[in-house]
Amino acid sequence: LWQTKVLPVGAATTDLSVYITDGISALAYGATTTYTVTVQNNGPSNVVGAKLSEIPKSNVTLGNWTCQAADSKATCGVSSGSGTLADTVNLQVGGKLTYTVNATASSAAGVTQAILGVHIASPSNVTDSNLSNNQSTDVNSVGAMLQLTANKTGTGNGLVSSSPIGIQCDTACSTGTMQALDRSTVTLTAAPNAQSTFTGWSGACTG
């Protein structure tokens, strides 16, 4: 299904985008995390008065947050705040703002997810040409967490990594650790460097 939008001649259009992540996939009950929210104007028009707002969140409480412009092409409405994330910003073409948001997951029994989403909207005098990137949501599983440790032994070199992300143990690393949700699955992958060979896993999982 194709949709066509007819705009007045000379009407200003641009493509605003927003993305949120805290870089993890799971949290312990009542644990803190830090989200990074990136807002950008992909052009072709400058924007004055774009509005950043929260999408209704679930099982997460926001604390202090800050806003930082990448350069003079972007201006925060306010440099910091607490609680609800909301700001009115100016973005020239190529302008980018980064929000750092401190938050806490719910400690209530039975909670399984912590969800925080954000939305960026253009002002009424500018039409956003791409609405698919105006909203972004970060979802974390919530529950009891266990520590997973992977030890590298032998004389060879290489990378041991995990999925979900948590362990990234490269040449200079001998031990990698991460927190994983109880009863979840973590996949470890070993990638030997040239002239090295992966000989296998040993030891038993405990915890």
Side-chain angles (χ1 to χ4, degrees), residues 1 5 14 24 35 43 46 53 66 72 76 100 119 163 173 177 199 203:
L1 177 64
K5 181 181 291 185
T14 201
I24 57 176
Y35 294 96
N46 297 335
S53 60
T66 61
S72 60
C76 305
T100 302
H119 180 265
S163 178
C173 163
T177 63
T199 57

Side-chain angles (χ1 to χ4, degrees), residues 23-24 146-152 158-170 173-180 186-190 201:
I24 57 176
L146 300 175
Q147 179 168 294
L148 173 65
T149 300
N151 298 309
K152 289 165 57 179
L159 171 69
V160 175
S161 59
S162 67
S163 178
I165 296 172
I167 291 176
Q168 193 80 358
C169 192
D170 59 14
C173 163
S174 60
T175 300
T177 63
M178 67 177 289
Q179 296 292 312
V186 176
T187 301
L188 296 176
T189 301
W201 305 101

Side-chain angles (χ1 to χ4, degrees), residues 33-150:
T33 189
T34 301
Y35 294 96
T36 299
V37 178
T38 305
V39 181
Q40 186 163 328
N41 183 357
N42 303 306
S45 299
N46 297 335
V47 172
V48 175
K51 293 188 179 299
L52 176 70
S53 60
E54 290 179 20
I55 301 168
K57 55 186 176 288
S58 177
N59 300 319
V60 62
T61 302
L62 303 191
N64 296 329
W65 53 266
T66 61
C67 177
Q68 180 70 46
D71 53 35
S72 60
K73 293 181 180 180
T75 306
C76 305
V78 293
S79 61
S80 62
S82 182
T84 301
L85 179 60
D87 202 7
T88 301
V89 303
N90 302 331
L91 292 159
Q92 298 178 32
V93 176
K96 182 168 71 173
L97 297 172
T98 301
Y99 292 80
T100 302
V101 184
N102 297 311
T104 305
S106 172
S107 58
V111 166
T112 59
Q113 289 185 323
I115 302 172
L116 179 62
V118 288
H119 180 265
I120 187 69
S122 61
S124 59
N125 63 334
V126 179
T127 298
D128 197 310
S129 60
N130 178 16
L131 299 179
S132 66
N133 57 5
N134 286 56
Q135 181 172 310
S136 179
T137 302
D138 184 278
V139 180
N140 286 322
S141 299
V142 177
M145 303 291 287
L146 300 175
Q147 179 168 294
L148 173 65
T149 300

